Amino acid sequence: MAAPGRGPELNRPADAALSGDEEVLHALLRRRATGSTPGARTDPHRIALVVGGGGMRGAYAGGMVHALEQAGLSDAFDVVYGSSAGAFVGTALVLRHGHDAARIFPDDMACKAFIDPRRLGTRRPMVSLDYLLDEILVVSKPTDWAALAASPVPLRVVVTDAADMTPHVLEGLGTEEEWKLAMRATATIPWLAGPPVELGGRRWVDGSVGDPLPVLRALRDGATHVLALLTRTVPELRRSDPGERAPLWARSLDVVIPGLGAMTQDVRRHADSLALLSDAAHPDRGGAHLLAITPARTSGVRGLTVDVERVEAASQLGHEAAVAALRAVNGGTQH
């Protein structure tokens, strides 16, 4: 049964679902039906989109954003939050580049120019954010940073303070240079993708280290409805804790920035958000409506996967998951 004050829970298998309140999608669809646009709402809601990160796992979220755009829901959100790859995918929704969000991972990022383990131990990072920001987002999938700055739907880029590993938000940036620095900051991990990024007098690293899925942040900022796009299946999110001792790669990161290695482990980072999304009676929900869309199954994509077929499949699985969620509340059709 639904929790008091919430819509009915989506009907999904118990072992493959989080606690999903379909009122989130109903609110979005009502806005679409009435032609509601940012800055001219007729309802009292504040609907946030939260996009999870995870490197190349972002392909799942890219497919989901493409489906949301195809469904005519881009104008239905009031604010977008993104960590790491989720910030880039969130940018695509704000700029209405949903197709690019779905295609950028298999078409442009699943290659050695972007990710090449042979660069480890050299002066060049294994993950080339230069290639992403200065080649892909300029030539192949151009990004209009001025339009992002002027968007009535603000993009809030989550970053992590390299000094104390606390999460923060960068928003309201005015110049292309500032936006590109923010995007570099939310995706950089020392030793893997480059040194911390300096912006606003502080040094930042990957946003998903401090807050991989900023649902609670959205609630604290006043969201009444939150749609979260997850880049892992529920079984992956609920797998057992990896243990007290961090693996070798994580301990190597601790040498660069103490504490970074432990915080980059998936299970440890997602525990709080998963609890919030899983428990309809969670005290931090405060009467808000929350829904998570997750891929129904995995394609085997991990953070540094460059296998084009797997990445392509992840994008498709994400698209299918969002379409299925919309059909479940929209009379069997997406539109």
Side-chain angles (χ1 to χ4, degrees), residues 10-44:
L10 290 177
N11 184 19
R12 297 173 182 169
D15 62 349
L18 300 175
S19 184
D21 184 346
E22 65 181 20
E23 170 57 22
V24 176
L25 296 182
H26 281 306
L28 291 169
L29 293 170
R30 286 196 298 269
R31 283 185 169 183
R32 184 187 71 183
T34 59
S36 177
T37 57
R41 303 295 190 200
T42 57
D43 62 51

Side-chain angles (χ1 to χ4, degrees), residues 100-115:
D100 286 353
R103 298 306 317 166
I104 190 171
F105 291 92
D107 289 354
D108 305 291
M109 296 169 67
C111 64
K112 289 184 177 179
F114 180 53
I115 299 174

Side-chain angles (χ1 to χ4, degrees), residues 257-275:
I257 296 180
L260 179 59
M263 293 186 71
T264 54
Q265 294 179 80
D266 295 342
V267 174
R268 298 180 193 276
R269 291 184 299 141
H270 283 85
D272 291 342
S273 295
L274 186 60

